[in-house]
Every structure is written in structure tokens, then in C-alpha cells.
Amino acid sequence: MSPIPFQFQIVATDGAARRGRIHTAHGVIDTPAFMPVGTAGTVKAMMPDAVAQTGAQIVLGNTYHLMLRPGAERVARLGGLHKFMNWPLPILTDSGGFQVMSLAKLRRIDERGVVFQSHIDGSSHELTPERSTEIQHLLDADITMCFDECTPFPVEEKAAAESMRLSMRWAERCRAAFKERPGYALFGIVQGSIYPDLRVESAEKLKSIGFDGYAIGGLAVGEGQETMLRMLDVTVPLLTENRPRYLMGVGKPDDLVSSVLRGIDMFDCVLPTRSGRTGQAFTRRGTVNLRNARHLDDPRPLDEMCSCPACRGFSRAYLHHLWRAEELLFHTLLTWHNLHYYQELMARLRQAITVGKLAEFVAGFREEQALGDIEPL
Ligand SMILES: [Zn+2]
């Protein structure tokens, strides 16, 4: 049997929104899709089969973290990231660019790439478009992301233009370095901060190079939802229609819904998994803060309509107790619930697109979110 080529099928549309299927070497991803973040080869506090049980069909791995620990060559020797982390389904890896600029101590950035010191042990490393692409190949990522410069925010237009053009030159080098294999893909990343002309230039440049999918980067960095959506309105219509579109690092449930309406197919965000550390749960009726003492005596589930293990088996009082007692199970239960909520939201969006009732679904979603949490007892 010959391997399945990387492919994106659009199954249904509703306005600008698309219901699709991405075929990769490790399986199919139904879109619009949310990708849980598995930074260091694990979605924190979750067993891989539990992640799959929430409905996730793909996870994201971080090149920066994995190259420093345990090292990309080691992962490759051990059979690749799928085997290493026991996640047989598709994996997308980021390029390392974002973390290098947000976590590491930068030593040099120039045309060639970035030299930085590890935040773990201070050791010196270099990331270039070629090395980032090689690392993602070693990890065996189904979807490789172009190495780009993470433009700071806020930024003047001139500096944003220089940064974006550097990323576009790097994108050409990633394209040249990428080893084509059936079922594997390389995505380009549109940059340009909050400047429409730069977003247009970047999208056109990437299209001329040609990628298997197109990501929109450099948003959800503090510009606010209105500006972010304005940038999508400028950028999305320019992207090749029959290629997946991925909005990086986004976001809150309403951001996902608003972006799907504009034709985005893929998302990743640490919000649902990071919440174990902040006590924040996402529900149909908005966010619930489980640190709040109002839950001390509350025997009701976090969300009575939710079928996740946290809601089926435990009370708000118990979850609140786990938080106060700093118990590890809190992280597992809250992560499970939040990922379940995000995946269910994506499934409902897909269903609404399929039957051509996205507008009604979105109206209902916003109404429910606006209700806020149930009244305290
Ligand atoms: Zn739940």
C-alpha cells in the first residue's frame, strides 16, 4: 500500500467557514480543529489516550523545548516523537522561533538565524531555518512550521516590515530545507503585526513560495480581539482556498468561534491546559474560577451538561478542595474538563457548518456564554 499523501478536503462550507479533513501520515484531522499543546512531549497531567478521549486528533510539540531536552537526535534514535510520547496520531511542531524569543537569553539574531542560551542550563545553541526544519524532521512531525522571527508587540510599522521580510526570506530557506515525504507537510506563517499592508505582502510572498498550509502568526499578543479579527479579515481571503489555515496561539472560546466564522481551520492554545495552574474552567456558561470559596459546600458538578470525568464523578466542592490542598489530581481533572470542552465546541462548530446552521449556533453560543456561571447555592 502506498503512503497517503498530505491532503486537505473541504467537506462543507457555511459562509466563509469550512468543515474539512486533513489527511496526514498518522491519520485524519477533522477541521475546524483545536490542537492541545504538548510542550515537552506531554500534554501536562494527561495520559495520551485521555487526550484522544477528549476528541483531540492532533497535538502540538515545541521544537525549542524538545531540542534542549531530551534533544532532537535522541528522540529520532528512539523512534520519533509519536513513539517516544506514545501518541500515534498526528503531531504538529512549532519552529522554536516564538520560545527562543520569549524564553531564552538571546545572544545574536541576524540573517543567518538566532544564537541563544538555554533557559535550562545556559548552554549555547543556534537555530536557523535549516536547523529548525531538520529538528522537526527528526521529531517526525506530520506538520512542520516555518522558522520565523517573533515580531514584538507593540512595534512600529518599519520594524514590523523588516521583521516580516526577514521571516519571508527564512520561509524560502525552510521550503528548500524541507524533505518532502508523503503525508508530511510544511506550513508558511503570515506575519506583519497589526499592519494590513504588511499582512497582504506577507501572504502574497508565502503563496508565491507555495506551502501545504498557511498559518497566521503574531496575533493574540495583546492587540485585542477586534484588531485580531480585523487582521483575519485582511489576511484570510488572500490565502489559497484549498489549503488549511491555522491561527497560531489562539485562544479563548469566543476567539475560536469568531475565527471559524472567518474561515480558520486550525488552532492551538495553552489556555485549556494551563488552567490547571490557575483554577480556571471553561464552560458553556463562560469561565468558572474554582479557587473561589463559593464552591466550598457546592455538591453540584462543574457543568451538569458536560460528560467529562471531572463533571461526571466529582462536585465543585471536591474540585475546590483539591485546589486548596494542592493535589495533583486537580490538574488532571481540570485539564480533562477544559480539553473536553474545547473539543466539544469544535465538534459542534463542525456539525453546524455541515448542516448550514453556523449563524444560529454562534448566536446560541454567545447567549449561553453571556449567562455566566450558575447562581451560588
Ligand atoms: Zn466537564
Side-chain angles (χ1 to χ4, degrees):
M1 216 174 75
S2 60
I4 299 161
F6 183 88
Q7 218 185 339
F8 179 57
Q9 281 176 290
I10 297 174
V11 182
T13 58
D14 186 351
R18 305 113 66 80
R19 156 85 177 92
R21 269 191 208 108
I22 303 173
H23 299 262
T24 76
H26 290 87
V28 172
I29 306 148
D30 290 294
T31 65
F34 179 81
M35 303 183 278
V37 178
T39 303
T42 163
V43 176
K44 290 188 199 307
M46 295 284 281
M47 290 288 283
D49 57 353
V51 175
Q53 275 175 49
T54 68
Q57 295 170 309
I58 177 172
V59 298
L60 182 145
N62 284 124
T63 284
Y64 172 82
H65 290 279
L66 293 166
M67 72 181 279
L68 296 179
R69 191 171 57 193
E73 274 75 8
R74 178 168 291 124
V75 173
R77 283 196 301 275
L78 292 164
L81 189 55
H82 298 88
K83 181 156 186 268
F84 189 55
M85 68 184 283
N86 194 21
W87 173 262
L89 303 179
I91 295 176
L92 177 148
T93 45
D94 67 3
S95 69
F98 181 79
Q99 269 91 17
V100 158
M101 289 163 224
S102 57
L103 291 179
K105 192 172 164 209
L106 275 187
R107 303 218 5 238
R108 192 197 77 216
I109 175 161
D110 58 20
E111 192 66 34
R112 181 180 154 81
V114 180
V115 176
F116 64 95
Q117 274 180 312
S118 158
H119 75 288
I120 300 167
D121 61 8
S123 56
S124 188
H125 300 265
E126 183 177 43
L127 259 184
T128 62
E130 290 77 17
R131 178 59 181 156
S132 170
T133 306
E134 182 185 26
I135 289 171
Q136 296 179 75
H137 179 88
L138 287 165
L139 296 173
D140 199 26
D142 296 84
I143 301 176
T144 290
M145 299 302 299
C146 279
F147 185 66
D148 61 351
E149 195 198 11
C150 176
T151 311
F153 182 84
V155 64
E156 297 288 330
E157 186 164 357
K158 186 168 175 289
E162 281 167 12
S163 167
M164 179 273 286
R165 286 172 194 142
L166 175 63
S167 290
M168 296 304 102
R169 294 192 295 277
W170 285 358
E172 280 184 304
R173 286 165 55 190
C174 290
R175 178 80 267 181
F178 181 72
K179 292 193 182 92
E180 299 278 355
R181 290 177 291 167
Y184 291 81
L186 175 66
F187 282 20
I189 306 173
V190 178
Q191 290 290 352
S193 190
I194 55 166
Y195 302 103
D197 292 350
L198 298 184
R199 290 276 167 189
V200 171
E201 181 185 328
S202 179
E204 295 297 348
K205 179 66 195 175
L206 292 176
K207 269 198 300 185
S208 78
I209 302 169
F211 290 94
D212 305 301
Y214 294 89
I216 302 174
L219 292 176
V221 289
E223 76 281 4
Q225 195 201 45
E226 199 190 321
T227 305
M228 179 182 87
L229 296 179
R230 209 168 63 236
M231 290 304 111
L232 294 189
D233 289 334
V234 170
T235 310
V236 172
L238 300 174
L239 301 177
T240 313
E241 195 177 341
N242 59 355
R243 296 276 188 274
R245 303 161 177 167
Y246 163 29
L247 179 56
M248 303 182 79
V250 174
K252 297 192 182 81
D254 190 70
D255 296 330
L256 305 189
V257 169
S258 302
S259 304
V260 165
L261 278 171
R262 288 165 170 80
I264 297 291
D265 307 302
M266 302 166 71
F267 303 90
D268 79 283
C269 188
V270 294
L271 264 183
T273 40
R274 183 172 285 172
S275 55
R277 283 165 272 168
T278 59
Q280 188 180 49
F282 295 91
T283 76
R284 290 173 306 118
R285 299 182 51 149
T287 56
V288 174
N289 181 356
L290 284 164
R291 290 173 300 175
N292 197 311
R294 63 166 277 190
H295 305 297
L296 262 172
D297 290 297
D298 198 330
R300 298 172 297 179
L302 172 55
D303 181 345
E304 62 172 11
M305 299 283 282
C306 179
S307 62
C308 88
C311 294
R312 273 201 332 264
F314 306 95
S315 63
R316 289 179 172 222
Y318 182 70
L319 295 172
H320 177 69
H321 157 71
L322 290 181
W323 164 265
R324 288 169 81 105
E326 297 179 23
E327 283 294 335
L328 297 178
L329 184 58
F330 183 79
H331 295 256
T332 301
L333 289 178
L334 206 56
T335 304
W336 201 320
H337 166 81
N338 280 339
L339 287 181
H340 182 100
Y341 172 77
Y342 267 66
Q343 294 301 340
E344 201 170 75
L345 176 60
M346 302 319 287
R348 291 165 80 197
L349 285 163
R350 291 195 294 267
Q351 174 63 15
I353 296 168
T354 304
V355 297
K357 293 204 183 303
L358 185 58
E360 290 94 320
F361 172 77
V362 173
F365 162 82
R366 292 198 170 131
E367 231 167 76
E368 257 191 332
Q369 289 280 305
L371 288 174
D373 195 14
I374 50 177
E375 289 297 315
L377 285 176

